[in-house]
Short mmCIF file of all heavy atoms in Angstrom, two decimals:
data_model
loop_
_atom_site.label_atom_id
_atom_site.label_comp_id
_atom_site.label_asym_id
_atom_site.label_seq_id
_atom_site.Cartn_x
_atom_site.Cartn_y
_atom_site.Cartn_z
N THR A 85 -56.28 14.20 13.36
CA THR A 85 -57.41 14.83 14.01
C THR A 85 -57.90 16.01 13.18
O THR A 85 -57.12 16.89 12.79
CB THR A 85 -57.05 15.33 15.43
OG1 THR A 85 -55.88 16.13 15.39
CG2 THR A 85 -56.78 14.13 16.34
N THR A 86 -59.19 15.99 12.85
CA THR A 86 -59.77 17.01 11.99
C THR A 86 -61.16 17.42 12.49
O THR A 86 -61.80 16.72 13.25
CB THR A 86 -59.93 16.52 10.54
OG1 THR A 86 -60.83 15.38 10.51
CG2 THR A 86 -58.57 16.09 9.94
N LEU A 87 -61.62 18.57 11.97
CA LEU A 87 -62.98 18.97 12.15
C LEU A 87 -63.86 18.33 11.09
O LEU A 87 -63.32 17.77 10.12
CB LEU A 87 -63.10 20.50 12.09
CG LEU A 87 -62.24 21.28 13.11
CD1 LEU A 87 -62.42 22.79 12.90
CD2 LEU A 87 -62.59 20.89 14.53
N PRO A 88 -65.16 18.31 11.25
CA PRO A 88 -66.02 17.68 10.25
C PRO A 88 -65.84 18.18 8.80
O PRO A 88 -66.09 17.43 7.88
CB PRO A 88 -67.45 17.98 10.76
CG PRO A 88 -67.28 18.10 12.25
CD PRO A 88 -65.96 18.79 12.41
N ASP A 89 -65.39 19.44 8.66
CA ASP A 89 -65.18 19.95 7.31
C ASP A 89 -63.82 19.57 6.73
O ASP A 89 -63.46 19.98 5.63
CB ASP A 89 -65.35 21.47 7.28
CG ASP A 89 -64.33 22.22 8.13
OD1 ASP A 89 -63.47 21.55 8.75
OD2 ASP A 89 -64.38 23.47 8.20
N GLY A 90 -63.02 18.78 7.50
CA GLY A 90 -61.72 18.32 7.03
C GLY A 90 -60.56 19.17 7.48
O GLY A 90 -59.41 18.80 7.28
N ALA A 91 -60.82 20.30 8.10
CA ALA A 91 -59.74 21.19 8.57
C ALA A 91 -59.00 20.53 9.74
O ALA A 91 -59.63 19.95 10.64
CB ALA A 91 -60.28 22.54 9.01
N PRO A 92 -57.64 20.54 9.75
CA PRO A 92 -56.90 19.94 10.86
C PRO A 92 -57.11 20.69 12.16
O PRO A 92 -57.35 21.90 12.17
CB PRO A 92 -55.47 20.03 10.37
CG PRO A 92 -55.44 21.16 9.44
CD PRO A 92 -56.74 21.18 8.76
N THR A 93 -57.02 20.00 13.27
CA THR A 93 -57.11 20.64 14.58
C THR A 93 -56.14 19.94 15.52
O THR A 93 -55.95 18.74 15.50
CB THR A 93 -58.54 20.55 15.12
OG1 THR A 93 -58.65 21.26 16.37
CG2 THR A 93 -59.01 19.09 15.35
N ARG A 94 -55.50 20.77 16.35
CA ARG A 94 -54.54 20.25 17.36
C ARG A 94 -55.32 19.62 18.52
O ARG A 94 -56.29 20.19 18.96
CB ARG A 94 -53.66 21.42 17.86
CG ARG A 94 -52.54 21.00 18.75
CD ARG A 94 -51.62 22.17 19.07
NE ARG A 94 -52.31 23.20 19.85
CZ ARG A 94 -52.68 24.37 19.37
NH1 ARG A 94 -52.48 24.69 18.10
NH2 ARG A 94 -53.28 25.26 20.14
N ALA A 95 -54.88 18.42 18.92
CA ALA A 95 -55.70 17.70 19.93
C ALA A 95 -54.84 16.77 20.76
O ALA A 95 -53.75 16.36 20.36
CB ALA A 95 -56.83 16.93 19.24
N GLN A 96 -55.40 16.41 21.92
CA GLN A 96 -54.86 15.35 22.75
C GLN A 96 -55.72 14.11 22.49
O GLN A 96 -56.95 14.20 22.46
CB GLN A 96 -54.97 15.74 24.23
CG GLN A 96 -53.96 16.75 24.68
CD GLN A 96 -52.64 16.13 25.13
OE1 GLN A 96 -52.48 14.93 25.12
NE2 GLN A 96 -51.68 16.97 25.49
N VAL A 97 -55.06 12.97 22.29
CA VAL A 97 -55.78 11.72 22.05
C VAL A 97 -55.34 10.67 23.08
O VAL A 97 -54.15 10.37 23.23
CB VAL A 97 -55.51 11.17 20.64
CG1 VAL A 97 -56.41 9.97 20.36
CG2 VAL A 97 -55.79 12.26 19.57
N ARG A 98 -56.31 10.13 23.77
CA ARG A 98 -56.07 9.02 24.72
C ARG A 98 -56.47 7.74 24.03
O ARG A 98 -57.63 7.53 23.75
CB ARG A 98 -56.86 9.24 26.02
CG ARG A 98 -56.60 8.20 27.11
CD ARG A 98 -57.45 8.51 28.35
NE ARG A 98 -57.17 7.63 29.45
CZ ARG A 98 -57.83 6.47 29.65
NH1 ARG A 98 -58.73 6.05 28.77
NH2 ARG A 98 -57.51 5.68 30.67
N VAL A 99 -55.50 6.88 23.78
CA VAL A 99 -55.71 5.67 23.02
C VAL A 99 -55.70 4.45 23.95
O VAL A 99 -54.66 4.20 24.61
CB VAL A 99 -54.67 5.48 21.91
CG1 VAL A 99 -54.95 4.25 21.09
CG2 VAL A 99 -54.58 6.73 21.03
N THR A 100 -56.79 3.72 23.98
CA THR A 100 -56.82 2.43 24.68
C THR A 100 -56.59 1.37 23.60
O THR A 100 -57.41 1.22 22.67
CB THR A 100 -58.17 2.20 25.38
OG1 THR A 100 -58.40 3.26 26.31
CG2 THR A 100 -58.17 0.88 26.11
N LEU A 101 -55.48 0.67 23.74
CA LEU A 101 -54.98 -0.26 22.71
C LEU A 101 -55.24 -1.68 23.15
O LEU A 101 -54.77 -2.09 24.22
CB LEU A 101 -53.50 0.02 22.44
CG LEU A 101 -52.79 -0.78 21.38
CD1 LEU A 101 -53.33 -0.38 20.01
CD2 LEU A 101 -51.29 -0.52 21.44
N ARG A 102 -55.94 -2.46 22.32
CA ARG A 102 -56.14 -3.89 22.58
C ARG A 102 -55.26 -4.67 21.61
O ARG A 102 -55.58 -4.77 20.41
CB ARG A 102 -57.62 -4.24 22.42
CG ARG A 102 -58.52 -3.55 23.40
CD ARG A 102 -59.96 -4.00 23.26
NE ARG A 102 -60.51 -3.76 21.93
CZ ARG A 102 -60.93 -2.57 21.52
NH1 ARG A 102 -60.88 -1.52 22.32
NH2 ARG A 102 -61.41 -2.43 20.29
N ASN A 103 -54.15 -5.15 22.12
CA ASN A 103 -53.14 -5.80 21.29
C ASN A 103 -52.61 -7.00 22.02
O ASN A 103 -51.46 -7.02 22.48
CB ASN A 103 -52.00 -4.78 20.97
CG ASN A 103 -50.90 -5.34 20.14
OD1 ASN A 103 -51.10 -6.30 19.40
ND2 ASN A 103 -49.70 -4.79 20.28
N GLY A 104 -53.42 -8.05 22.14
CA GLY A 104 -53.08 -9.16 22.98
C GLY A 104 -53.43 -8.86 24.45
O GLY A 104 -54.17 -9.58 25.07
N ASP A 105 -52.91 -7.77 24.96
CA ASP A 105 -53.32 -7.24 26.26
C ASP A 105 -53.91 -5.86 26.03
O ASP A 105 -54.14 -5.46 24.90
CB ASP A 105 -52.15 -7.23 27.25
CG ASP A 105 -50.93 -6.48 26.64
OD1 ASP A 105 -51.10 -5.82 25.60
OD2 ASP A 105 -49.85 -6.50 27.25
N GLN A 106 -54.11 -5.11 27.07
CA GLN A 106 -54.69 -3.76 26.95
C GLN A 106 -53.75 -2.74 27.56
O GLN A 106 -53.19 -2.95 28.64
CB GLN A 106 -56.07 -3.67 27.62
CG GLN A 106 -56.76 -2.35 27.47
CD GLN A 106 -58.23 -2.39 27.88
OE1 GLN A 106 -59.00 -3.13 27.30
NE2 GLN A 106 -58.57 -1.59 28.89
N SER A 107 -53.53 -1.64 26.86
CA SER A 107 -52.64 -0.57 27.38
C SER A 107 -53.27 0.77 26.96
O SER A 107 -54.12 0.84 26.08
CB SER A 107 -51.24 -0.71 26.80
OG SER A 107 -51.26 -0.68 25.37
N VAL A 108 -52.82 1.82 27.68
CA VAL A 108 -53.32 3.17 27.40
C VAL A 108 -52.15 4.04 27.02
O VAL A 108 -51.11 4.08 27.70
CB VAL A 108 -54.05 3.76 28.64
CG1 VAL A 108 -54.46 5.20 28.37
CG2 VAL A 108 -55.28 2.91 28.99
N LEU A 109 -52.27 4.73 25.89
CA LEU A 109 -51.21 5.62 25.39
C LEU A 109 -51.84 7.00 25.14
O LEU A 109 -53.03 7.13 24.89
CB LEU A 109 -50.65 5.07 24.10
CG LEU A 109 -50.08 3.65 24.12
CD1 LEU A 109 -49.75 3.17 22.71
CD2 LEU A 109 -48.85 3.59 25.00
N ARG A 110 -50.99 8.03 25.23
CA ARG A 110 -51.45 9.39 24.98
C ARG A 110 -50.62 10.01 23.83
O ARG A 110 -49.40 9.92 23.84
CB ARG A 110 -51.36 10.25 26.22
CG ARG A 110 -52.47 9.88 27.27
CD ARG A 110 -52.30 10.65 28.57
NE ARG A 110 -53.46 10.46 29.41
CZ ARG A 110 -53.65 9.41 30.17
NH1 ARG A 110 -52.77 8.41 30.16
NH2 ARG A 110 -54.75 9.30 30.91
N VAL A 111 -51.31 10.63 22.91
CA VAL A 111 -50.66 11.21 21.74
C VAL A 111 -51.14 12.66 21.59
O VAL A 111 -52.35 12.92 21.70
CB VAL A 111 -50.99 10.42 20.48
CG1 VAL A 111 -50.33 11.08 19.24
CG2 VAL A 111 -50.50 8.96 20.60
N GLN A 112 -50.24 13.57 21.32
CA GLN A 112 -50.55 14.96 21.01
C GLN A 112 -50.37 15.21 19.52
O GLN A 112 -49.31 14.98 18.99
CB GLN A 112 -49.63 15.91 21.79
CG GLN A 112 -49.74 17.37 21.40
CD GLN A 112 -51.04 18.00 21.86
OE1 GLN A 112 -51.36 17.95 23.06
NE2 GLN A 112 -51.79 18.58 20.92
N THR A 113 -51.43 15.64 18.85
CA THR A 113 -51.31 15.97 17.44
C THR A 113 -50.90 17.43 17.30
O THR A 113 -51.19 18.28 18.15
CB THR A 113 -52.60 15.72 16.64
OG1 THR A 113 -53.65 16.57 17.13
CG2 THR A 113 -53.03 14.26 16.81
N ASP A 114 -50.23 17.76 16.17
CA ASP A 114 -49.72 19.12 15.98
C ASP A 114 -50.76 20.00 15.24
O ASP A 114 -51.93 19.63 15.08
CB ASP A 114 -48.41 19.07 15.19
CG ASP A 114 -48.53 18.42 13.83
OD1 ASP A 114 -49.65 18.30 13.32
OD2 ASP A 114 -47.49 18.00 13.28
N ALA A 115 -50.31 21.18 14.83
CA ALA A 115 -51.21 22.14 14.15
C ALA A 115 -51.78 21.60 12.84
O ALA A 115 -52.83 22.02 12.39
CB ALA A 115 -50.50 23.47 13.92
N GLN A 116 -51.09 20.60 12.24
CA GLN A 116 -51.59 19.93 11.01
C GLN A 116 -52.50 18.77 11.35
O GLN A 116 -52.95 18.03 10.46
CB GLN A 116 -50.42 19.49 10.16
CG GLN A 116 -49.72 20.59 9.37
CD GLN A 116 -48.90 21.50 10.28
OE1 GLN A 116 -48.12 21.01 11.10
NE2 GLN A 116 -49.04 22.78 10.12
N GLY A 117 -52.72 18.54 12.66
CA GLY A 117 -53.59 17.47 13.09
C GLY A 117 -52.93 16.07 13.02
O GLY A 117 -53.62 15.05 12.95
N ILE A 118 -51.59 16.02 13.06
CA ILE A 118 -50.88 14.78 12.86
C ILE A 118 -50.12 14.37 14.15
O ILE A 118 -49.43 15.20 14.73
CB ILE A 118 -49.85 14.87 11.71
CG1 ILE A 118 -50.56 15.22 10.40
CG2 ILE A 118 -49.06 13.58 11.55
CD1 ILE A 118 -49.63 15.49 9.24
N GLY A 119 -50.31 13.16 14.56
CA GLY A 119 -49.60 12.57 15.68
C GLY A 119 -49.12 11.20 15.31
O GLY A 119 -49.60 10.58 14.35
N VAL A 120 -48.19 10.60 16.09
CA VAL A 120 -47.64 9.31 15.76
C VAL A 120 -47.71 8.38 16.95
O VAL A 120 -47.35 8.77 18.08
CB VAL A 120 -46.16 9.44 15.29
CG1 VAL A 120 -45.62 8.04 14.93
CG2 VAL A 120 -46.03 10.38 14.09
N LEU A 121 -48.18 7.16 16.68
CA LEU A 121 -48.29 6.10 17.67
C LEU A 121 -47.39 4.96 17.25
O LEU A 121 -47.32 4.68 16.07
CB LEU A 121 -49.74 5.65 17.74
CG LEU A 121 -50.21 4.67 18.82
CD1 LEU A 121 -50.10 5.31 20.18
CD2 LEU A 121 -51.64 4.24 18.52
N GLN A 122 -46.68 4.35 18.21
CA GLN A 122 -45.83 3.20 17.88
C GLN A 122 -46.50 1.93 18.36
O GLN A 122 -46.90 1.80 19.52
CB GLN A 122 -44.49 3.35 18.59
CG GLN A 122 -43.45 2.32 18.17
CD GLN A 122 -42.61 2.75 16.98
OE1 GLN A 122 -42.87 3.80 16.41
NE2 GLN A 122 -41.61 2.01 16.64
N ILE A 123 -46.68 0.95 17.43
CA ILE A 123 -47.37 -0.30 17.75
C ILE A 123 -46.58 -1.48 17.23
O ILE A 123 -46.06 -1.44 16.12
CB ILE A 123 -48.78 -0.34 17.11
CG1 ILE A 123 -49.68 0.75 17.71
CG2 ILE A 123 -49.42 -1.73 17.29
CD1 ILE A 123 -51.08 0.75 17.12
N THR A 124 -46.48 -2.53 18.05
CA THR A 124 -45.93 -3.82 17.63
C THR A 124 -46.99 -4.86 17.79
O THR A 124 -47.26 -5.31 18.91
CB THR A 124 -44.68 -4.21 18.43
OG1 THR A 124 -43.72 -3.16 18.34
CG2 THR A 124 -44.08 -5.51 17.94
N PRO A 125 -47.70 -5.27 16.72
CA PRO A 125 -48.77 -6.25 16.86
C PRO A 125 -48.25 -7.56 17.43
O PRO A 125 -47.25 -8.12 16.95
CB PRO A 125 -49.27 -6.43 15.41
CG PRO A 125 -48.89 -5.16 14.71
CD PRO A 125 -47.60 -4.75 15.34
N LYS A 126 -48.93 -8.08 18.44
CA LYS A 126 -48.43 -9.25 19.15
C LYS A 126 -49.14 -10.55 18.72
O LYS A 126 -48.50 -11.56 18.49
CB LYS A 126 -48.64 -9.06 20.65
CG LYS A 126 -47.83 -7.91 21.24
CD LYS A 126 -48.15 -7.74 22.74
CE LYS A 126 -47.35 -6.61 23.34
NZ LYS A 126 -47.68 -6.41 24.77
N ALA A 127 -50.45 -10.52 18.65
CA ALA A 127 -51.19 -11.75 18.34
C ALA A 127 -52.53 -11.40 17.74
O ALA A 127 -53.02 -10.29 17.92
CB ALA A 127 -51.37 -12.58 19.64
N GLY A 128 -53.13 -12.35 17.02
CA GLY A 128 -54.44 -12.15 16.48
C GLY A 128 -54.38 -11.48 15.10
O GLY A 128 -53.33 -11.09 14.61
N SER A 129 -55.58 -11.34 14.50
CA SER A 129 -55.67 -10.81 13.14
C SER A 129 -55.98 -9.33 13.12
O SER A 129 -56.09 -8.75 12.04
CB SER A 129 -56.75 -11.56 12.35
OG SER A 129 -58.00 -11.38 13.03
N SER A 130 -56.12 -8.69 14.28
CA SER A 130 -56.45 -7.28 14.30
C SER A 130 -56.01 -6.67 15.63
O SER A 130 -55.76 -7.36 16.61
CB SER A 130 -57.94 -7.04 14.09
OG SER A 130 -58.69 -7.61 15.17
N VAL A 131 -55.91 -5.33 15.61
CA VAL A 131 -55.59 -4.53 16.80
C VAL A 131 -56.73 -3.53 16.97
O VAL A 131 -57.08 -2.83 15.99
CB VAL A 131 -54.25 -3.82 16.68
CG1 VAL A 131 -54.03 -2.80 17.82
CG2 VAL A 131 -53.11 -4.82 16.66
N GLY A 132 -57.31 -3.43 18.15
CA GLY A 132 -58.41 -2.54 18.40
C GLY A 132 -57.94 -1.25 19.08
O GLY A 132 -57.08 -1.29 19.96
N LEU A 133 -58.47 -0.13 18.66
CA LEU A 133 -58.14 1.16 19.27
C LEU A 133 -59.45 1.86 19.65
O LEU A 133 -60.39 1.95 18.86
CB LEU A 133 -57.39 2.06 18.28
CG LEU A 133 -55.97 1.63 17.83
CD1 LEU A 133 -56.10 0.74 16.62
CD2 LEU A 133 -55.14 2.87 17.51
N SER A 134 -59.48 2.36 20.88
CA SER A 134 -60.55 3.25 21.32
C SER A 134 -59.87 4.61 21.59
O SER A 134 -59.05 4.71 22.47
CB SER A 134 -61.24 2.72 22.57
OG SER A 134 -62.23 3.62 23.00
N MET A 135 -60.24 5.62 20.81
CA MET A 135 -59.54 6.91 20.86
C MET A 135 -60.45 7.99 21.37
O MET A 135 -61.48 8.36 20.75
CB MET A 135 -59.05 7.26 19.47
CG MET A 135 -58.03 6.24 18.92
SD MET A 135 -57.54 6.50 17.18
CE MET A 135 -59.02 5.87 16.33
N ALA A 136 -60.13 8.53 22.54
CA ALA A 136 -60.87 9.66 23.13
C ALA A 136 -60.07 10.92 22.80
O ALA A 136 -58.95 11.08 23.25
CB ALA A 136 -61.01 9.48 24.64
N VAL A 137 -60.67 11.80 22.02
CA VAL A 137 -59.98 12.97 21.49
C VAL A 137 -60.59 14.24 22.07
O VAL A 137 -61.83 14.35 22.22
CB VAL A 137 -59.98 13.00 19.95
CG1 VAL A 137 -61.42 12.92 19.42
CG2 VAL A 137 -59.31 14.23 19.44
N ARG A 138 -59.75 15.18 22.42
CA ARG A 138 -60.20 16.52 22.88
C ARG A 138 -59.28 17.53 22.21
O ARG A 138 -58.06 17.52 22.43
CB ARG A 138 -60.10 16.64 24.42
CG ARG A 138 -60.51 18.02 24.93
CD ARG A 138 -60.32 18.09 26.44
NE ARG A 138 -60.57 19.42 26.97
CZ ARG A 138 -61.77 19.87 27.35
NH1 ARG A 138 -62.81 19.06 27.31
NH2 ARG A 138 -61.93 21.09 27.80
N ASP A 139 -59.84 18.44 21.38
CA ASP A 139 -58.98 19.37 20.67
C ASP A 139 -58.75 20.63 21.51
O ASP A 139 -59.26 20.76 22.63
CB ASP A 139 -59.56 19.68 19.27
CG ASP A 139 -60.67 20.69 19.26
OD1 ASP A 139 -61.20 21.07 20.35
OD2 ASP A 139 -61.05 21.16 18.18
N HIS A 140 -57.99 21.56 20.97
CA HIS A 140 -57.55 22.74 21.74
C HIS A 140 -58.69 23.71 22.03
O HIS A 140 -58.52 24.62 22.85
CB HIS A 140 -56.43 23.46 20.98
CG HIS A 140 -56.84 24.05 19.69
ND1 HIS A 140 -57.11 23.26 18.58
CD2 HIS A 140 -57.05 25.33 19.26
CE1 HIS A 140 -57.45 24.04 17.54
NE2 HIS A 140 -57.43 25.28 17.94
N GLN A 141 -59.84 23.52 21.41
CA GLN A 141 -61.02 24.35 21.72
C GLN A 141 -62.03 23.60 22.53
O GLN A 141 -63.18 24.06 22.69
CB GLN A 141 -61.63 24.85 20.41
CG GLN A 141 -60.72 25.87 19.71
CD GLN A 141 -61.42 26.54 18.53
OE1 GLN A 141 -62.55 26.26 18.23
NE2 GLN A 141 -60.72 27.47 17.90
N GLY A 142 -61.68 22.43 23.07
CA GLY A 142 -62.55 21.70 23.97
C GLY A 142 -63.55 20.78 23.31
O GLY A 142 -64.38 20.16 24.00
N ARG A 143 -63.49 20.61 21.98
CA ARG A 143 -64.40 19.69 21.30
C ARG A 143 -63.94 18.27 21.59
O ARG A 143 -62.75 17.96 21.50
CB ARG A 143 -64.44 19.95 19.79
CG ARG A 143 -65.10 21.30 19.45
CD ARG A 143 -64.95 21.61 17.97
NE ARG A 143 -63.58 22.06 17.69
CZ ARG A 143 -63.30 23.21 17.07
NH1 ARG A 143 -64.26 24.02 16.68
NH2 ARG A 143 -62.06 23.51 16.82
N GLU A 144 -64.90 17.40 21.89
CA GLU A 144 -64.56 16.01 22.33
C GLU A 144 -65.30 14.99 21.52
O GLU A 144 -66.41 15.21 21.00
CB GLU A 144 -64.90 15.84 23.79
CG GLU A 144 -64.06 16.70 24.74
CD GLU A 144 -64.46 16.45 26.19
OE1 GLU A 144 -65.66 16.26 26.48
OE2 GLU A 144 -63.54 16.46 27.04
#
Side-chain angles (χ1 to χ4, degrees):
T85 52
T86 62
L87 300 180
D89 62 1
T93 184
R94 188 173 65 252
Q96 287 272 358
V97 186
R98 183 180 185 271
V99 182
T100 301
L101 182 68
R102 297 183 301 279
N103 180 24
D105 53 9
Q106 182 168 299
S107 59
V108 176
L109 304 170
R110 286 175 171 81
V111 178
Q112 171 71 56
T113 64
D114 59 18
Q116 284 72 48
I118 301 174
V120 182
L121 187 67
Q122 188 90 354
I123 294 179
T124 304
K126 297 177 181 178
S129 60
S130 64
V131 170
L133 295 87
S134 178
M135 298 173 284
V137 55
R138 178 184 175 88
D139 81 350
H140 64 288
Q141 293 190 357
R143 292 172 285 233
E144 296 180 322

